[in-house]
Amino acid sequence: MARRKKGDAISGWVNLDKPYDFGSTQAVGRVRRIFNAQKAGHAGTLDPLATGILPIALGEATKTVSFLMDADKAYRFTIEWGRTTASFDREGATTATSDVRPTPEQVAAVLPEFIGDILQVPPAFSAVKVDGERAYDLARAGETVELKAREISIYSARVIDAPDADHVEIAVECGKGTYVRAIVRDIAERLGACAHVSALRRTRVGPFDEDSAITLELLEDLGHKARCLEALLPVETALDDIPELAVTTEDAFKLKQGRPIVLVPRQVEALKARLSPGARTVSAMEGGSIVALCEMRAGKLEPSRVFHLEKSGD
């Protein structure tokens, strides 16, 4: 007999507003316990010193995590002038100091240089792997870490506040692989100043934003009242940019068995019109719930990931 999995077969997304000084893995463990879920994972690590959007997948939603890894993100962060640290955040050891205090106008003037498809060298204290080792482990061990520049995309960057001469707050929208600490490092270097990130908040990951986020405190309160399912978002929330196709019960059964289904010409044309250039992935839906993620080839949908979701009332 197969061993029974511990926990409940809960599936969906939690749009967590991660608190300060709390690790991403730690947050996943806490959310999993609140729901007593069998399986959980997160879409994109958020530093313990950062707050904000940390989408957490439960159950079958873990099969869609990879789609959020490539999602666009948005951040708000504060640059503190006067001190550069080894990690370019407030916790790092001081490596240089300066009396230079760039004005908000000077910062705004150089921001266009950081917008578009640009090359960025990740900070030494990052999760990038070097010969199989995490860069931050090597950096903490005192080793010199030299990372190669990578192409990233920054869609917008603007100054949104400057509470005093020592601080300036910036909002950025960017693609995957962008390091805010590297942005601050490069802005400071460009302006001949010393700086680090004193506050960082992620405000969006793909379709997950602050409007639908829930704090850990509120989630735990709902859990005590046996109402935590109120905070659960559908599995397909992470697939907002993937076209959907409603399928019959018969076709849904075939897909769940791993068998392809045949499309009629008008379905093929409709899906092609909604797919991005070169994309093939389609969400097969039955009764408003996802059945499978499929690849469209030669007039057929071939299932690549099948979902086993309990229908309400089952």
Side-chain angles (χ1 to χ4, degrees):
M1 290 178 62
R3 289 178 60 186
R4 181 178 174 82
K5 294 179 180 177
K6 291 183 179 180
D8 300 327
I10 302 289
S11 292
W13 282 95
V14 175
N15 184 15
L16 184 70
D17 188 338
K18 189 190 79 65
Y20 176 80
D21 207 14
F22 209 77
S24 296
T25 302
Q26 188 181 2
V28 170
R30 187 76 67 87
V31 170
R32 182 179 181 180
R33 285 194 295 275
I34 292 170
F35 283 86
N36 190 35
Q38 291 177 353
K39 190 163 53 172
H42 66 76
T45 300
L46 196 58
D47 289 346
L49 301 182
T51 65
I53 305 303
L54 180 67
I56 294 178
L58 301 178
E60 293 291 277
T62 56
K63 295 177 180 177
T64 66
V65 164
S66 61
F67 290 89
L68 270 196
M69 292 297 190
D70 293 339
D72 294 338
K73 299 173 177 67
Y75 297 92
R76 284 200 312 268
F77 58 92
T78 302
I79 299 176
E80 182 172 320
W81 305 113
R83 182 170 75 99
T84 298
T85 69
S87 54
F88 297 100
D89 61 30
R90 62 195 296 177
E91 297 274 305
T94 301
T95 57
T97 59
S98 168
D99 292 330
V100 177
R101 298 293 187 272
T103 66
E105 292 76 19
Q106 288 174 314
V107 176
V110 301
L111 283 182
E113 299 174 22
F114 298 91
I115 296 173
D117 296 332
I118 64 171
L119 291 176
Q120 183 187 73
V121 177
F125 284 81
S126 65
V128 176
K129 284 193 173 182
V130 180
D131 297 328
E133 301 276 345
R134 295 289 185 187
Y136 54 65
D137 288 330
L138 297 172
R140 286 170 186 154
E143 294 189 33
T144 300
V145 180
E146 292 187 8
L147 299 175
K148 294 180 180 178
R150 307 196 293 186
E151 186 173 287
I152 61 161
S153 298
I154 297 182
Y155 310 119
S156 68
R158 58 193 175 89
V159 173
I160 56 175
D161 195 15
D164 54 48
D166 291 329
H167 300 88
V168 62
E169 189 174 346
I170 294 175
V172 161
E173 293 187 344
C174 57
K176 67 174 182 176
T178 303
Y179 282 93
V180 167
R181 286 174 293 132
I183 295 175
V184 172
R185 174 200 65 202
D186 296 342
I187 289 174
E189 185 177 308
R190 173 68 176 79
L191 293 172
C194 289
H196 63 275
V197 179
S198 63
L200 172 62
R201 179 169 178 79
R202 189 158 66 190
T203 57
R204 183 174 65 83
V205 177
F208 296 88
D209 59 23
E210 292 177 299
D211 291 339
S212 60
I214 185 168
T215 64
L216 194 56
E217 184 179 24
L218 182 53
L219 190 61
E220 288 185 323
D221 185 52
L222 289 175
H224 292 318
K225 298 173 182 175
R227 291 171 49 199
C228 56
L229 290 181
E230 294 176 17
L232 201 62
L233 300 172
V235 168
E236 53 269 20
T237 305
L239 309 172
D240 69 321
D241 57 348
I242 294 177
E244 297 178 357
L245 178 70
V247 299
T248 64
T249 301
E250 181 182 354
D251 280 345
F253 181 73
K254 289 179 181 176
L255 292 170
K256 286 180 179 180
Q257 289 185 316
R259 295 155 57 196
I261 61 172
V262 178
L263 302 174
V264 298
R266 61 178 173 78
Q267 289 176 314
V268 173
E269 292 307 312
L271 288 171
K272 280 184 177 178
R274 289 152 57 201
L275 284 165
S276 303
R280 295 175 177 270
T281 305
V282 174
S283 299
M285 309 286 292
E286 184 206 7
S289 292
I290 189 166
V291 173
L293 279 170
C294 307
E295 299 297 302
M296 188 171 76
R297 290 190 179 91
K300 294 181 180 180
L301 283 188
E302 299 176 0
S304 55
R305 296 178 196 178
V306 175
F307 297 84
H308 302 282
L309 300 173
E310 295 182 7
K311 295 181 181 177
S312 55
D314 283 2

